[in-house]
Amino acid sequence: MQEQFSRTELLIGKQGLAHLKNARVAVFGLGGVGGHAVEALARSGIGALDLIDNDKICASNINRQIFATHKTIGQYKTDVAMQRVLDINPNCVVNLYNVFYLPETSNLFDFSVYDYVIDAIDTVTGKIELIVKAKKCNTPIISAMGAGNKMNPTQFEVSDISKTSICPLARVMRKELKNRGIHNLKVVYSTEIPLKPKEEDDNSPNERKKVPGSIAFAPSVAGLIMASEVIKDIINYPNK
């Protein structure tokens, strides 16, 4: 028993660990949700991770993103994420893509090589394209709905997109996916009514006020839930 994963093995057994070691998971988006998903996947023994994001870390990320510290400001999220993953599990194979996932960049990815895909990106057009491509290859995918403007981490749920309510992003995604013939999608979403961001005291431009508020313990919980669903599905828990 490898000591690093000995506690995990007590729960899922040697066969479960082997499934995780042999799995390749792609995480699209390394922000507050995706970053915590990567952390949990690395600590669980996933053998290969493809990390996709084109953002650099900035000061406003520090309040909620696990890769964001004052020391990492200005660095690509992918680079910082890879270093952290390898510090956790040096045997993990990490592939980096410094791109925003959009329809025009989707041809860079072969979804048939993935055992699972995590969608933690923000743009609706990107999310739709990602889901369509994964579904076309019959690759399992889990998608994050809105985690911004939320304060209650206990209201995040795992559901099919068809059964979601309240979440504005989920409502848009349901309609767009239905128009493309996609009726089923595993998602993590919140049943909490989104809070209205408080107005800034410095009379900032209206564009700035459209940025959603966020806090340390909401997107992190969504990301950890997503990772748990991926891990359980890969090892076929509880019917392993």
Side-chain angles (χ1 to χ4, degrees):
M1 182 185 295
Q2 186 178 343
E3 184 176 359
Q4 177 175 348
F5 300 113
S6 60
R7 298 294 185 95
T8 306
E9 186 176 326
L10 291 173
L11 288 177
I12 68 175
K14 290 183 179 180
Q15 186 177 23
L17 275 182
H19 285 316
L20 297 180
K21 182 180 180 180
N22 293 325
R24 182 176 179 181
V25 177
V27 182
F28 289 81
L30 303 178
V33 175
H36 281 85
V38 170
E39 176 87 1
L41 294 174
R43 292 186 183 278
S44 300
I46 291 292
L49 288 168
D50 283 31
L51 309 179
I52 302 95
D53 201 310
N54 197 40
D55 264 342
K56 292 182 179 180
I57 293 169
C58 62
S60 65
N61 299 150
I62 294 175
N63 79 318
R64 68 197 183 284
Q65 297 187 15
I66 196 164
F67 305 133
T69 67
H70 285 280
K71 288 184 178 180
T72 60
I73 288 175
Q75 299 181 45
Y76 279 107
K77 292 179 181 179
T78 50
D79 291 337
V80 178
M82 179 176 69
Q83 185 58 59
R84 185 169 178 92
V85 168
L86 295 178
D87 283 345
I88 294 168
N89 181 10
N91 295 317
C92 185
V93 176
V94 184
N95 303 297
L96 303 185
Y97 295 85
N98 287 333
V99 297
F100 287 121
Y101 187 86
L102 293 167
E104 51 265 35
T105 58
S106 62
N107 62 347
L108 297 175
F109 302 92
D110 177 5
F111 286 88
S112 67
V113 304
Y114 300 131
D115 295 286
Y116 223 109
V117 170
I118 286 181
D119 159 31
I121 61 178
D122 297 326
T123 60
V124 172
T125 54
K127 294 177 86 68
I128 293 170
E129 181 74 9
L130 186 56
I131 293 161
V132 168
K133 287 295 180 67
K135 292 285 187 179
K136 187 176 181 180
C137 290
N138 293 317
T139 300
I141 181 170
I142 186 169
S143 185
M145 297 294 102
N149 296 329
K150 304 294 173 65
M151 280 286 291
N152 189 344
T154 67
Q155 289 189 249
F156 282 101
E157 296 183 2
V158 179
S159 181
D160 187 84
I161 187 73
S162 63
K163 299 178 181 179
T164 56
S165 61
I166 299 175
C167 176
L169 178 57
R171 182 170 60 249
V172 172
M173 292 296 295
R174 275 200 313 271
K175 179 181 178 181
E176 294 296 332
L177 292 174
K178 184 178 180 180
N179 290 340
R180 290 162 176 80
I182 297 175
H183 302 281
N184 300 109
L185 172 71
K186 181 182 282 193
V187 301
V188 173
Y189 83 108
S190 175
T191 58
E192 179 183 8
I193 297 173
L195 300 175
K196 184 178 180 180
K198 298 182 183 297
E199 293 186 3
E200 298 178 349
D201 296 331
D202 58 358
N203 295 317
S204 298
N206 289 334
E207 291 78 12
R208 177 136 186 172
K209 294 179 182 179
K210 295 179 182 178
V211 175
S214 194
I215 200 163
F217 47 77
S220 57
V221 167
L224 293 174
I225 291 173
M226 295 183 85
S228 74
E229 290 299 307
V230 170
I231 291 164
K232 288 187 292 184
D233 284 347
I234 288 174
I235 65 173
N236 194 28
Y237 176 87
N239 298 314
K240 61 178 190 270

